[in-house]
Coordinates of all heavy atoms in Angstrom, one line a residue:
Q1 N 29.7 11.2 67.8 CA 30.4 11.1 69.1 C 29.6 10.5 70.2 O 30.1 9.8 71.0 CB 30.8 12.5 69.5 CG 31.9 13.1 68.6 CD 32.5 14.4 69.2 OE1 32.6 14.5 70.5 NE2 32.9 15.4 68.4
F2 N 28.3 10.7 70.2 CA 27.4 10.3 71.3 C 26.3 9.4 70.9 O 25.6 8.9 71.8 CB 26.9 11.5 72.1 CG 28.0 12.5 72.5 CD1 28.0 13.7 71.9 CD2 28.9 12.1 73.4 CE1 29.0 14.6 72.2 CE2 29.9 13.0 73.8 CZ 30.0 14.3 73.2
G3 N 26.1 9.1 69.6 CA 25.1 8.2 69.2 C 23.7 8.7 69.3 O 22.7 7.9 69.2
L4 N 23.5 10.0 69.4 CA 22.2 10.6 69.5 C 21.6 10.8 68.1 O 22.3 11.4 67.3 CB 22.2 11.9 70.3 CG 22.6 11.8 71.8 CD1 22.5 13.1 72.5 CD2 21.8 10.7 72.5
Q5 N 20.4 10.5 67.9 CA 19.7 10.6 66.6 C 19.1 12.0 66.5 O 19.0 12.8 67.5 CB 18.6 9.6 66.4 CG 19.1 8.2 66.6 CD 20.2 7.8 65.5 OE1 20.0 8.1 64.3 NE2 21.3 7.2 65.9
R6 N 18.7 12.4 65.3 CA 18.1 13.7 65.1 C 17.0 14.0 66.0 O 16.8 15.2 66.4 CB 17.7 13.8 63.6 CG 17.2 15.1 63.1 CD 18.4 16.1 63.0 NE 17.9 17.4 62.5 CZ 17.2 18.3 63.1 NH1 16.9 18.1 64.4 NH2 16.8 19.4 62.6
K7 N 16.1 13.1 66.3 CA 14.9 13.3 67.1 C 15.3 13.6 68.5 O 14.4 14.1 69.3 CB 14.0 12.1 67.0 CG 14.5 10.8 67.6 CD 13.5 9.7 67.5 CE 14.0 8.4 68.2 NZ 13.0 7.3 68.1
Q8 N 16.5 13.3 68.9 CA 16.9 13.4 70.3 C 17.5 14.8 70.7 O 17.7 15.1 71.8 CB 17.9 12.3 70.7 CG 17.3 10.9 70.6 CD 18.4 9.9 70.9 OE1 19.0 9.4 69.9 NE2 18.6 9.5 72.1
I9 N 17.7 15.7 69.7 CA 18.3 17.0 69.9 C 17.4 18.1 69.4 O 17.1 18.0 68.2 CB 19.7 17.1 69.3 CG1 20.5 15.8 69.6 CG2 20.4 18.3 69.8 CD1 21.8 15.8 68.8
M10 N 17.1 19.1 70.2 CA 16.4 20.2 69.8 C 17.2 21.5 70.1 O 17.6 21.7 71.2 CB 15.0 20.3 70.5 CG 14.0 21.3 69.8 SD 12.5 21.6 70.8 CE 11.9 19.9 71.1
F11 N 17.6 22.2 69.0 CA 18.5 23.3 69.1 C 17.7 24.6 69.0 O 17.4 25.1 67.9 CB 19.5 23.2 68.0 CG 20.8 24.1 68.2 CD1 22.0 23.8 67.6 CD2 20.7 25.3 69.0 CE1 23.1 24.5 67.8 CE2 21.9 26.0 69.2 CZ 23.1 25.7 68.6
T12 N 17.4 25.3 70.1 CA 16.5 26.5 70.1 C 17.4 27.7 70.2 O 18.5 27.7 70.8 CB 15.5 26.5 71.2 OG1 16.1 26.7 72.5 CG2 14.7 25.2 71.2
F13 N 16.9 28.8 69.7 CA 17.5 30.1 69.8 C 16.5 31.2 70.2 O 15.4 31.1 69.7 CB 18.3 30.5 68.5 CG 17.5 30.1 67.3 CD1 16.8 31.1 66.6 CD2 17.6 28.8 66.7 CE1 16.1 30.8 65.5 CE2 16.9 28.5 65.6 CZ 16.2 29.5 64.9
S14 N 16.9 32.1 71.0 CA 15.9 33.1 71.5 C 15.5 34.1 70.5 O 14.4 34.8 70.6 CB 16.4 33.8 72.7 OG 17.5 34.7 72.3
H15 N 16.2 34.3 69.4 CA 16.0 35.3 68.3 C 16.4 36.7 68.8 O 15.9 37.7 68.4 CB 14.6 35.2 67.8 CG 14.4 36.0 66.5 ND1 15.2 35.8 65.4 CD2 13.5 36.9 66.2 CE1 14.8 36.6 64.5 NE2 13.7 37.3 64.9
N16 N 17.4 36.7 69.7 CA 17.9 37.9 70.3 C 18.6 38.8 69.2 O 19.6 38.3 68.6 CB 18.9 37.5 71.4 CG 19.8 38.7 71.8 OD1 19.3 39.8 71.9 ND2 21.1 38.4 72.1
H17 N 18.2 40.0 69.1 CA 18.8 40.9 68.0 C 20.0 41.7 68.5 O 20.6 42.5 67.8 CB 17.7 41.9 67.5 CG 16.7 41.3 66.6 ND1 16.2 40.0 66.8 CD2 16.1 41.7 65.5 CE1 15.3 39.7 65.9 NE2 15.2 40.8 65.1
C18 N 20.5 41.4 69.7 CA 21.8 41.9 70.2 C 22.8 40.8 70.4 O 23.7 40.9 71.2 CB 21.6 42.7 71.5 SG 20.7 44.3 71.3
G19 N 22.6 39.8 69.5 CA 23.6 38.7 69.5 C 24.2 38.6 68.1 O 23.8 39.3 67.2
P20 N 25.2 37.8 67.9 CA 26.1 37.8 66.7 C 25.4 37.0 65.5 O 24.6 36.1 65.7 CB 27.3 37.1 67.2 CG 26.9 36.1 68.3 CD 25.8 36.9 69.0
R21 N 25.9 37.4 64.4 CA 25.5 36.6 63.1 C 26.1 35.2 63.2 O 27.2 35.0 63.8 CB 26.0 37.4 61.9 CG 25.4 38.7 61.6 CD 26.0 39.4 60.4 NE 25.9 38.5 59.3 CZ 26.8 38.4 58.3 NH1 27.9 39.1 58.4 NH2 26.7 37.5 57.3
L22 N 25.5 34.3 62.4 CA 26.0 33.0 62.3 C 25.8 32.5 60.9 O 24.7 32.6 60.3 CB 25.2 32.0 63.2 CG 25.5 32.0 64.7 CD1 24.5 31.3 65.5 CD2 26.9 31.5 65.0
G23 N 26.9 31.9 60.3 CA 26.8 31.2 59.0 C 26.1 32.1 58.0 O 26.4 33.2 57.8
D24 N 25.2 31.4 57.2 CA 24.6 32.1 56.1 C 23.2 32.6 56.5 O 22.4 32.9 55.6 CB 24.5 31.2 54.9 CG 23.7 29.9 55.2 OD1 23.2 29.7 56.3 OD2 23.5 29.1 54.2

């Protein structure tokens, strides 16, 4: 959609244990 490559996106998560499950 936006032409951004893998190196251009960093997806961080806080590791919060009072948040929901995701995927596998």
Side-chain angles (χ1 to χ4, degrees):
Q1 292 191 34
F2 307 112
L4 296 184
Q5 304 298 315
R6 185 70 176 77
K7 67 180 181 179
Q8 294 174 270
I9 312 170
M10 196 186 307
F11 196 155
T12 72
F13 41 95
S14 71
H15 194 49
N16 166 39
H17 285 39
C18 286
R21 293 179 54 216
L22 283 169
D24 61 358

